[in-house]
Amino acid sequence: MDKDWIELLITDDPLEAEMIKDLLESGGIPVVLRSSKVTPYPVNVGRMGEIKIVVRREDKKTAEEVMAAGSEDLNED
C-alpha cells in the first residue's frame, strides 16, 4: 500500500472491522482492510489476528469524525 494510505485503527474482531468499514464507506470514505491471517486457518495468535483499517491520508480526520458520530449514536440508545 502506498504512503497516501494510513492506518486508522487495529482490531482483532472481523465483524467489528466490517462494521467500521461499512460505516466509513457509507460516509463516502474509501477503506481497505489488511490482515496477515491465512483464510483457511482460523489462527488468531498475536499479530496474525490483527485487522488494520486503512484510509487515505486526507480522509483520516473525516473518518475519525464519522466513527465518533457513530459511537455517539450507539451510546444514545
Side-chain angles (χ1 to χ4, degrees), residues 2-6 55-62:
D2 68 44
K3 63 184 177 185
D4 292 331
W5 290 78
I6 60 170
V55 297
R56 292 182 306 196
R57 186 174 302 277
E58 65 263 20
D59 291 331
K60 183 178 184 206
K61 184 174 186 206
T62 306

Side-chain angles (χ1 to χ4, degrees), residues 11-67:
T11 182
D12 60 355
D13 183 346
L15 182 58
E16 178 184 23
E18 286 295 332
M19 289 173 64
I20 292 170
K21 181 178 188 246
D22 290 346
L23 175 68
L24 295 175
E25 287 180 338
S26 72
I29 300 169
V31 179
V32 174
L33 300 180
R34 297 180 70 199
S35 174
S36 298
K37 188 174 178 180
V38 179
T39 306
Y41 306 106
V43 178
N44 290 327
V45 178
R47 298 184 98 173
M48 279 190 74
E50 289 181 347
I51 302 167
K52 295 179 182 180
I53 300 167
V54 182
V55 297
R56 292 182 306 196
R57 186 174 302 277
E58 65 263 20
D59 291 331
K60 183 178 184 206
K61 184 174 186 206
T62 306
E64 290 170 340
E65 291 169 357
V66 168
M67 286 178 52

